[in-house]
Amino acid sequence: MSAAPGIAVLAGGVGGSRFVRGLLHGLRAEWPAAAGSPEEGMPGSGTAASVTVIANTGDDLWLAGLRVCPDLDSIMYALGGANDEERGWGRRGESERVSAELTAYGVGWPWFTLGDLDLGTHIARSSWLRDGLPLSEATARLCARWNPGVTLLPATDDEAETLVTVADEAGGTRQLHFEEWWVRHRAALPALAFTQNNVERARPAPGVLEAIAEADVVLFAPSNPVVSIGTILGIPGIADAVRQTAAPVVGISPIIGGAVVRGMADACLSAIGVETSAVAVGAHYGARGLPSAGLLGAGLPGAGLLGADLPGAGLLDGWLVDSTDAAAAESAAGGPLAGIRTLARPLWFHTVEETAAIAADALALAARSRP
Amino acid sequence: MSAAPGIAVLAGGVGGSRFVRGLLHGLRAEWPAAAGSPEEGMPGSGTAASVTVIANTGDDLWLAGLRVCPDLDSIMYALGGANDEERGWGRRGESERVSAELTAYGVGWPWFTLGDLDLGTHIARSSWLRDGLPLSEATARLCARWNPGVTLLPATDDEAETLVTVADEAGGTRQLHFEEWWVRHRAALPALAFTQNNVERARPAPGVLEAIAEADVVLFAPSNPVVSIGTILGIPGIADAVRQTAAPVVGISPIIGGAVVRGMADACLSAIGVETSAVAVGAHYGARGLPSAGLLGAGLPGAGLLGADLPGAGLLDGWLVDSTDAAAAESAAGGPLAGIRTLARPLWFHTVEETAAIAADALALAARSRP
């Protein structure tokens, strides 16, 4: 790429934001902001490259009458330098006075604490949503304060929340909101299925399809393949845009040597019958141009059932795996990963420099993986 | 009264809550809770008497997507022992972290700070209102935590906010919400009129008319006669209930020797053409049984225009004035205060004991003022 690239990243919250921060760090060095440009010397990206982050909104929920968007906020805070580095989520210097009040009134979820500073974001967003603004515009207004250095888009302006089906005591099943399963039960209740509620009526937020179509590179962050990347791809039209873009599409594996890098993605993968391995997840995304078992989501029986039709989904040109998975990826190149160019390198990242190096390799892989 | 009385009090926020606290203090001594009753030894009223407070809701507003009810909350906090005694309003130990966030996002009114603890109340209430609960039920749920020792009722479950008409720069007029006029402009913009927005569609909250009809005594707290007591009486049906109750109706003057006890009631009185004097305010409420100039509010031309038809409103049996106003009240007994039994005593109150003595005299005046 001779000019500064346009990059579209599909991302979940904590892992996604750390990946994008590394990506921006590398882009600043490689393609610094032009002298005299608004980005020069400013907080934010400080790069001539343009990055659009398409964030998972499946974790979003109405809680205590407020719209909470965990992944959008994690990305916004982390890129805006306002996140709590130690805890890994939420705002730095957070307190929880309001939450204690809500618990005293029996409002909200006592196990899902909303920090005071964070509540400011939820109240502002909810106020704008009640005024009729779509989530994407509310997000833009919030980002105007934090200057994350990327265009941060929700996958959809519509409410398509992820529900988890689990066994109930009576021998049947019940559904609970993803956040209840994830935070309250720490993903320990065996998940029987994930459903995107009302996804058949959801549309990509303005700018999402354009960002994918016009990008020079499309990246899948090393986020949860089921409930982060999967829910983004589940919004009708987004998977098609990924399949049809002229840009190379490269994913970064969230699985290293059979274990998840962070979070509890294994509990999600097993629910949809995908092995917790870099090869299996790469194969789950599937090679572009190869026959697809079906469109993700829209209009099919089982619409909204995550994972039901992702195998053979035909999404990837390149797949970045950890060095420990190099042999497996190579041996799968003629089988499950056929048609996907793989590259192996250390994927553990602790520092922003390490993450920047991973992102740089993902971009290099993309350059060699043009469809 | 041989049995513990049932008392209905029409009240605004800060002054109303201080008055009712004194009233309860006296009732506890006079009619202690029966042994074995739920009130015995509990926080709350601790009295066998039953008190219903009908609170002004004209100050209520939607702010940052949250329903804020200043008077209801002032009463609830003060009677529940959670109020800030020094400041006179809001919660004790309050902080303002969330408000600073909202200001940074440009949401809400920077001059109308919502405390963090107070926000817990607004979020809980708004959440219940969004779920479809009427304000009266949301208020009951909030009070279940604070145990104010009274039945606290909003005058109405409907939104009938007080608007203030002021001159604009172009030589015309404009309307602003009462709280903007009161808090932001400190009532310094000359008020041309007060309007209860949509009051013609408002109905008394469940229990309001019953409390007035079934009370042994009805009291008007020494609250703002225009924008606190006036707005309660402006809800269609409430003034009629006051006129028709078998109980004596006694008001406590908020004016002492031509000055307001607290707040800026004089700015409100002058807007509706009522002199700032105990006699004028008593005459404004009017004597029960005397010809009334018209029903308050509902269905008349100028409906919702506060003060437009209050003169001769026929509401009072008794009127408690300050000692400094004794002579004026006496000389007005054949004129403006004809038909109203007056009693003069010191009305300045600083301690709860002083307030209790005032309330006791109001009850004594009621006993001598049976209609």
Side-chain angles (χ1 to χ4, degrees):
Chain A
M1 283 162 270
S2 52
I7 302 171
V9 187
L10 276 57
V14 176
S17 65
R18 292 191 61 183
F19 174 75
V20 174
R21 197 161 49 164
L23 173 68
L24 286 177
H25 185 82
L27 291 173
R28 260 179 229 123
E30 189 92 2
W31 286 279
S37 76
E39 286 289 349
E40 193 202 13
M42 291 285 289
S45 69
T47 169
S50 86
V51 178
T52 300
V53 178
I54 299 162
N56 167 45
T57 50
D59 299 14
D60 296 5
L61 71 162
W62 285 104
L63 188 65
L66 301 173
R67 190 67 178 168
V68 179
C69 303
D71 285 4
L72 281 169
D73 290 349
S74 284
I75 296 167
M76 179 176 75
Y77 293 153
L79 300 184
N83 63 318
D84 186 323
E85 291 282 347
E86 257 179 68
R87 191 171 55 173
W89 54 275
R91 292 280 299 276
R92 193 170 49 238
E94 189 56 286
S95 53
E96 296 171 357
R97 302 199 81 201
V98 181
S99 247
E101 293 295 304
L102 296 179
T103 300
Y105 284 128
V107 166
W109 287 338
W111 42 265
F112 193 88
T113 300
L114 300 169
D116 295 330
L117 302 180
D118 198 29
L119 267 166
T121 301
H122 306 321
I123 293 172
R125 172 171 43 228
S126 304
S127 153
W128 292 326
L129 294 176
R130 306 279 194 197
D131 286 347
L133 253 69
L135 178 61
S136 50
E137 283 190 38
T139 303
R141 284 197 187 185
L142 294 170
C143 285
R145 176 178 172 200
W146 296 112
N147 196 10
V150 303
T151 301
L152 179 58
L153 299 178
T156 177
D157 280 337
D158 301 311
E159 296 176 12
E161 304 180 0
T162 303
L163 305 179
V164 187
T165 304
V166 299
D168 68 10
E169 281 98 53
T173 63
R174 65 187 177 99
Q175 283 190 318
L176 59 172
H177 190 280
F178 172 76
E179 289 290 348
E180 185 174 1
W181 181 73
W182 190 255
V183 177
R184 184 183 195 180
H185 297 290
R186 306 203 151 272
L189 293 180
L192 306 176
F194 296 95
T195 310
Q196 283 182 280
N197 202 29
N198 294 319
V199 74
E200 64 281 4
R201 294 200 294 266
R203 301 179 157 279
V208 166
L209 299 183
E210 295 80 352
I212 294 168
E214 297 162 12
D216 296 303
V217 180
V218 175
L219 298 177
F220 291 5
S223 300
N224 190 308
V226 185
V227 294
S228 295
I229 306 296
T231 43
I232 299 171
L233 294 167
I235 304 299
I238 295 187
D240 274 349
V242 171
R243 289 189 193 97
Q244 291 158 15
T245 181
V249 180
V250 168
I252 296 93
S253 174
I255 309 293
I256 296 182
V260 293
V261 174
R262 74 172 50 72
M264 304 166 278
D266 43 351
C268 302
L269 286 167
S270 60
I272 64 164
V274 173
E275 191 190 313
T276 301
S277 77
V279 167
V281 172
H284 174 62
Y285 287 140
R288 282 222 288 180
L290 287 195
S292 165
L295 299 180
L296 277 162
L300 296 176
L305 206 60
L306 282 171
D309 42 21
L310 244 179
L315 295 160
L316 290 183
D317 298 303
W319 185 231
L320 194 66
V321 302
D322 187 73
S323 306
T324 58
D325 297 312
E330 199 160 322
S331 69
L337 294 184
I340 302 176
R341 182 181 293 263
T342 61
L343 175 68
R345 57 104 67 227
L347 283 190
W348 288 108
F349 55 94
H350 301 92
T351 66
V352 70
E353 290 78 12
E354 284 170 346
T355 318
I358 293 170
D361 277 357
L363 294 179
L365 176 58
R368 289 187 282 121
S369 309
R370 300 197 155 279
Chain B
M1 284 160 269
S2 52
I7 301 171
V9 187
L10 277 57
V14 176
S17 65
R18 293 192 60 184
F19 174 76
V20 174
R21 197 161 52 164
L23 172 68
L24 287 177
H25 185 83
L27 292 172
R28 264 180 224 121
E30 189 94 1
W31 288 280
S37 76
E39 285 290 350
E40 193 201 14
M42 290 285 290
S45 71
T47 170
S50 87
V51 177
T52 301
V53 177
I54 300 161
N56 167 45
T57 50
D59 299 14
D60 296 5
L61 71 162
W62 285 106
L63 188 66
L66 301 173
R67 190 67 178 167
V68 179
C69 303
D71 284 4
L72 282 168
D73 290 351
S74 284
I75 297 167
M76 180 176 75
Y77 293 152
L79 300 183
N83 64 317
D84 186 323
E85 291 282 345
E86 256 179 70
R87 192 171 54 172
W89 55 274
R91 292 279 300 277
R92 194 172 46 240
E94 189 55 285
S95 54
E96 297 171 356
R97 302 198 82 200
V98 180
S99 246
E101 293 295 306
L102 296 179
T103 300
Y105 285 128
V107 167
W109 287 337
W111 42 266
F112 193 88
T113 301
L114 301 169
D116 295 332
L117 302 179
D118 198 30
L119 267 166
T121 301
H122 306 320
I123 293 171
R125 172 173 41 230
S126 304
S127 154
W128 293 325
L129 294 176
R130 306 279 196 198
D131 285 348
L133 252 69
L135 178 61
S136 50
E137 283 190 38
T139 303
R141 285 197 186 185
L142 294 171
C143 285
R145 175 177 173 202
W146 296 112
N147 196 11
V150 302
T151 302
L152 179 58
L153 299 178
T156 178
D157 280 337
D158 301 310
E159 296 176 12
E161 304 180 359
T162 302
L163 305 179
V164 187
T165 304
V166 299
D168 68 10
E169 281 99 54
T173 62
R174 66 189 178 97
Q175 285 190 316
L176 59 173
H177 190 280
F178 173 75
E179 289 290 348
E180 185 174 0
W181 180 75
W182 190 254
V183 177
R184 183 183 196 182
H185 299 289
R186 306 203 151 273
L189 294 180
L192 306 177
F194 296 95
T195 309
Q196 283 182 281
N197 201 28
N198 293 320
V199 74
E200 64 280 4
R201 294 199 294 267
R203 302 180 157 278
V208 166
L209 299 183
E210 295 80 351
I212 294 169
E214 296 162 12
D216 297 303
V217 179
V218 175
L219 298 177
F220 292 4
S223 300
N224 191 309
V226 185
V227 294
S228 295
I229 306 296
T231 44
I232 298 171
L233 294 168
I235 304 299
I238 296 187
D240 274 350
V242 171
R243 291 190 193 97
Q244 291 158 14
T245 180
V249 180
V250 168
I252 296 93
S253 174
I255 309 293
I256 296 182
V260 293
V261 175
R262 74 173 52 73
M264 303 166 278
D266 43 351
C268 302
L269 286 167
S270 58
I272 65 164
V274 173
E275 192 189 313
T276 301
S277 77
V279 168
V281 172
H284 174 63
Y285 288 140
R288 283 224 286 181
L290 287 195
S292 167
L295 299 180
L296 277 163
L300 296 176
L305 206 61
L306 281 170
D309 43 20
L310 243 177
L315 296 160
L316 290 184
D317 298 303
W319 186 231
L320 194 65
V321 302
D322 187 73
S323 306
T324 59
D325 298 311
E330 199 160 322
S331 70
L337 294 184
I340 303 176
R341 183 182 293 262
T342 62
L343 176 67
R345 58 104 66 224
L347 283 190
W348 289 106
F349 55 94
H350 301 93
T351 67
V352 70
E353 290 79 11
E354 285 170 344
T355 318
I358 293 170
D361 277 356
L363 294 179
L365 176 58
R368 289 187 283 119
S369 310
R370 302 198 154 280

